[in-house]
Amino acid sequence: MTAPLPPPRSLPLLPGHGGRSAMTCLYRCGNACAHPAPNTSGNEYFGEVAAAAVSRRGLLRVGSLGALVIGAGVTLGSGLGKGGAAEAVAPPVAPPAQPGPTGRGALTFRAVPPNTLDAVVVPNGYDHAVLMTWGDPVEPGAPAWSVDRQSAAAQARQFGFNNDWLATAPLGRGGRRALLVVNHEYTNEDLMFRGFTSVEALSVEQLRIAMAAHGLSVVEIERVGATGQWRPVRTGPRRHNRRITARTPMRLTGPAAGSSLLRTAADPRGVTVLGSLNNCAGGLTPWGTVLSGEENFNQYFVGGDGVPAAAKPALNRYGITTTARYPAGSRRWERADARFDLAVNPNEANRFGWIVEVDPYDARSTPRKHTALGRFKHEGAEIMLAPDGRIVAYMGDDERFDYLYKFVSDKRIRRGDSAADKAHNLTLLESGTLYVAKFDATSAGEIDGSGALPSDGAFDGGGRWIPLARGNRSLVAGMSVDAVLVHTRLAADAVGATKMDRPEDVQPNPRTGKVYVALTNNTRRGAAGQPGPDEPNPRSDNRHGHILEIVEAGGDSAAETFGWSVPIVCGDPADPSSYFAGFDKSQVSPISCPDNLEFDVHGNLWISTDGNALGANDGLFAVPVEGPGRGHVKQFLTVPRGAEQASAYLPPDNRTAFVSVQHPGEIDGATVDDPASTWPHGTFAQPAVVTVWRLDGGEIGR
Ligand code: FEO
Ligand code: CA
Ligand code: CA
């Protein structure tokens, strides 16, 4: 049956943050784009739609149908070559020739066209269904959810709001059960509570509901029959099911644990933090845990004007206002919990902005915040294994003109699966070397900001990983190791790291070891008084973002030098500033604002977008990065109005795409009672996770 769609609300195209609504900017990142970029350091820088039928569930089908297999789908890239000695500056490393996916791995689906429908749209031959929706019971005994019967106690046991990064981890053998692990990045109270008028008017209980809707969920799921569809397990003990919230106790590890910068009146030893905030992206580890990045934590604090003067510059560098008690857009959580008032607890903000490790297989385990991986607006962390067995974590700091980082562990992984092996591996992220990236150019002086390729035919160059701290030792003059790890942005400023166009997800390709960085956008690039275009960030007013590829020296993820290139400059293929690795642009889907990255088992890159500045809904795209199809971007799926395609995960059997649909209907003026989207259940907008599978049971994407 085809029902007429309500007229779409306008999607205002705001300068500064792609196509996001002002509502998204306010709630998701505290209007970061409306403020000056916090990086004022002087360090060097270089220079509508095909007619289609909508089914009752909002499923749209368009057109015609068009390894390294590792348990748990983790990124294990061993055997990629011997580590070479570090050089002062790496020469550009030509990517080794790799066959692109052919046969089983070829991407043969018919691309979904751009659209603004209030639906999840998948290619013909596929189906999808909602797996988990905001409010669904997670912990056994959790009450049924109703928008009119919310409580903090119930929410702390129910699926949180605004699901972001997700992945699954196998449960038992046979591929029939798994653990779904999901980040809940932030709340939008306009779309949670009937009658919302202002943050100030929220009750303390409503603030506590919002806190409980943050964090993570772990949910036991089961395969539906022999298909690629999954559903939550609804009966039985479900001993893994767990909610982690903004109040769950967590332990600080690593060199800065116990630092005076991390002590508070409630935690005089500086080792125990309550909760995790703004959990954005993440990654799986080879030892069965998940890593979750605390991103825009700054927006949760007030009272910055009341902190000691000496503490203000570091707070400013993290985007915390120190000139007003209540910065515009404050969430006012201090009304429910004084921790969020910096005038009372000036160090509390230092206890957020970390990578958090959670063991989904042990619901009683204490999540750990790893100080060795530095503190910034962590998008996420994705793991590779160096040839010598050390662990490498790649990480982005999602802010305009901020940096790209990696961590290399001191210890080597143990490959067994005994309890002792796991206990050892759980310590891998507690000590190592933290690096920040500095990029060098081959065509400096030729980059004019238009997106035009330089005369050597590529945006490319070499680069160095500059060490900031090694074990308990600071490598930054004038800074203690505590200061380097707690105020990592300041340490990276001091060593002249390269200012990037908002580094989001950083994803190694498990088949090749090459590393892909989503640089989502930066409309301030090239603006008056701001850094101009350079070769790794080659476009001024970069509203559509780009993808950068790194090849570590010698194929060793732990190397201290690398080569790099920019294979994809996003945008409308008809826009001369867009570039798709030289692939025929007439065959390419328009793509804007790449955010989250993932590889399928065949080595195809899957790109989730956030804030399509081309005016259409966000989506999930797939692209080969090797072989003749390199650069052939195709849109696989689109999400409903106002939503962000936050994350996708394709388990090793490649028969399911788990997709995180965040903030549907987040369009200015929308409320629960006057929603801009009625996805997914036909009432008001609710964030939800869906599974996508092929009707014939085959692999996703082909
Ligand atoms: Fe939460 Fe960087 O996106
Ligand atoms: Ca060049
Ligand atoms: Ca990723």
Side-chain angles (χ1 to χ4, degrees):
M1 293 201 335
T2 302
L5 291 163
R9 284 169 189 265
S10 62
L11 282 159
L13 299 181
L14 297 178
H17 193 173
R20 286 273 75 100
S21 68
M23 185 188 265
T24 298
C25 291
L26 171 65
Y27 282 105
R28 205 263 302 285
C29 49
N31 281 329
C33 292
H35 301 287
N39 189 355
T40 56
S41 69
N43 61 330
E44 179 191 0
Y45 60 85
F46 306 117
E48 183 72 55
V49 186
V54 180
S55 75
R56 282 176 293 125
R57 289 208 332 264
L59 169 69
L60 180 83
R61 298 196 180 111
V62 185
S64 59
L65 173 63
L68 182 61
V69 181
I70 302 154
V74 296
T75 303
L76 262 172
S78 58
L80 293 168
K82 301 289 180 222
E87 302 163 336
V89 177
V93 179
Q98 296 278 345
T102 56
R104 288 197 331 135
L107 294 167
T108 58
F109 68 89
R110 174 77 69 90
V112 169
N115 65 79
T116 57
L117 295 166
D118 190 29
V120 168
V121 183
V122 297
N124 198 12
Y126 289 77
D127 203 350
H128 81 287
V130 172
L131 174 61
M132 290 294 291
T133 306
W134 168 46
D136 283 353
V138 172
E139 297 187 347
W145 182 86
S146 160
V147 73
D148 298 309
R149 275 197 323 280
Q150 300 183 56
S151 74
Q155 178 65 77
R157 307 177 74 191
Q158 298 164 331
F159 200 64
F161 203 76
N162 270 346
N163 37 269
D164 198 313
W165 175 86
L166 55 70
T168 64
L171 199 54
R173 301 195 186 279
R176 301 207 55 79
R177 286 208 169 197
L179 298 177
L180 173 73
V181 187
V182 184
N183 282 344
H184 299 291
E185 186 181 25
Y186 71 102
T187 51
N188 179 336
E189 288 74 359
D190 296 51
L191 304 183
M192 293 174 70
F193 303 119
R194 289 194 198 277
F196 174 91
T197 55
S198 71
V199 167
E200 288 73 17
L202 291 172
S203 68
V204 167
E205 175 68 3
Q206 286 174 314
L207 295 174
R208 290 184 174 137
I209 291 168
M211 291 180 190
H214 279 65
L216 292 92
S217 290
V218 180
V219 185
E220 293 186 19
I221 58 174
E222 61 189 1
R223 188 183 294 278
V224 177
T227 71
Q229 182 182 3
W230 292 73
R231 65 188 167 211
V233 176
R234 288 292 188 211
T235 59
R238 290 162 288 166
R239 61 192 176 88
H240 300 291
N241 282 23
R242 178 183 195 185
R243 277 303 322 284
I244 290 168
T245 75
R247 295 192 56 78
T248 303
M250 307 199 171
R251 183 161 65 79
L252 289 157
T253 81
S259 162
S260 60
L261 294 168
L262 297 173
R263 295 177 201 151
T264 63
D267 176 31
R269 295 177 56 229
V271 292
T272 303
V273 180
L274 293 185
S276 192
L277 294 176
N278 217 256
N279 301 78
C280 187
L284 293 167
T285 71
W287 53 94
T289 63
V290 300
L291 306 178
S292 177
E294 296 186 311
E295 195 190 35
N296 290 297
F297 63 89
N298 55 304
Q299 60 179 298
Y300 297 85
F301 295 92
V302 303
D305 60 333
V307 304
K312 289 186 176 180
L315 291 172
N316 292 155
R317 185 64 181 85
Y318 285 84
I320 292 175
T321 300
T322 56
T323 54
R325 171 147 180 78
Y326 301 116
S330 297
R331 289 177 173 270
R332 302 301 309 275
W333 280 15
E334 86 288 352
R335 293 199 289 124
D337 189 336
R339 287 191 295 146
F340 297 102
D341 185 348
L342 295 174
V344 180
N345 294 289
N347 279 349
E348 190 67 20
N350 293 343
R351 292 146 63 87
F352 296 88
W354 302 103
I355 291 293
V356 185
E357 184 174 10
V358 174
D359 184 352
Y361 292 104
D362 182 358
R364 291 194 295 273
S365 61
T366 301
R368 292 172 302 144
K369 299 192 177 195
H370 290 305
T371 67
L373 277 64
R375 175 173 164 270
F376 37 94
K377 291 188 180 179
H378 272 289
E379 174 72 16
E382 294 278 8
I383 299 285
M384 279 294 283
L385 192 57
D388 65 4
R390 287 180 293 163
I391 288 299
V392 181
Y394 291 96
M395 304 176 286
D397 183 352
D398 180 8
E399 185 109 43
R400 293 168 304 185
F401 303 117
D402 259 293
Y403 308 131
L404 177 67
Y405 296 85
K406 81 173 179 183
F407 167 86
V408 180
S409 67
D410 287 334
K411 297 183 195 169
R412 293 170 167 76
I413 194 170
R414 288 193 191 163
R415 295 168 196 269
D417 57 3
S418 70
D421 291 328
K422 181 162 182 178
H424 168 86
N425 292 336
L426 285 170
T427 68
L428 289 172
L429 299 176
E430 296 184 355
S431 181
T433 303
L434 179 64
Y435 296 91
V436 68
K438 181 174 178 61
F439 291 78
D440 298 314
T442 59
S443 308
E446 288 187 56
I447 308 301
D448 64 6
S450 70
L453 290 171
S455 56
D456 67 359
F459 302 118
D460 61 353
R464 286 179 289 148
W465 292 107
I466 303 174
L468 301 173
R470 186 164 274 139
N472 283 311
R473 200 155 51 88
S474 167
L475 301 175
V476 180
M479 294 182 80
S480 66
V481 71
D482 295 11
V484 168
L485 297 177
V486 176
H487 298 145
T488 305
R489 283 182 166 184
L490 293 167
D493 292 344
V495 301
T498 301
K499 297 179 175 180
M500 307 297 287
D501 285 351
R502 292 187 56 198
E504 298 245 30
D505 204 10
V506 188
Q507 188 73 38
N509 182 344
R511 291 180 70 91
T512 65
K514 297 179 191 174
V515 181
Y516 296 80
V517 185
L519 295 149
T520 194
N521 59 48
N522 183 355
T523 54
R524 300 282 177 90
R525 176 71 66 179
Q530 302 290 321
D534 57 23
E535 200 158 354
N537 302 278
R539 189 167 52 180
S540 295
D541 187 19
N542 183 14
R543 58 189 57 226
H544 301 301
H546 56 287
I547 304 282
L548 191 143
E549 179 184 73
I550 289 174
V551 183
E552 300 273 27
D556 181 355
S557 304
E560 294 193 331
T561 59
F562 59 87
W564 63 270
S565 65
V566 175
I568 297 175
V569 182
C570 298
D572 186 331
D575 175 348
S577 77
S578 66
Y579 176 69
F580 298 90
F583 198 85
D584 176 2
K585 290 171 80 172
S586 71
Q587 304 297 308
V588 167
S589 295
I591 181 171
S592 177
C593 302
D595 183 333
N596 194 268
L597 304 177
E598 171 68 9
F599 278 97
D600 67 25
V601 71
H602 301 295
N604 297 304
L605 180 63
W606 292 72
I607 305 170
S608 296
T609 68
D610 171 16
N612 189 335
L614 295 167
N617 290 350
D618 275 319
L620 176 63
F621 300 74
V623 57
V625 290
E626 303 287 349
R630 178 172 160 94
H632 188 185
V633 172
K634 292 204 298 185
Q635 182 156 255
F636 177 77
L637 170 152
T638 56
V639 292
R641 285 185 200 137
E644 168 182 342
Q645 162 55 38
S647 173
Y649 180 70
L650 295 92
D653 75 0
N654 206 32
R655 293 172 60 214
T656 309
F658 291 87
V659 172
S660 184
V661 181
Q662 194 190 59
H663 62 74
E666 192 168 69
I667 294 174
D668 297 347
T671 65
V672 173
D673 297 305
D674 183 18
S677 165
T678 59
W679 188 89
H681 298 309
T683 49
F684 42 81
Q686 289 177 274
V689 169
V690 304
T691 55
V692 182
W693 67 95
R694 248 174 69 167
L695 294 169
D696 66 2
E699 288 197 46
I700 298 293
R702 62 142 295 145

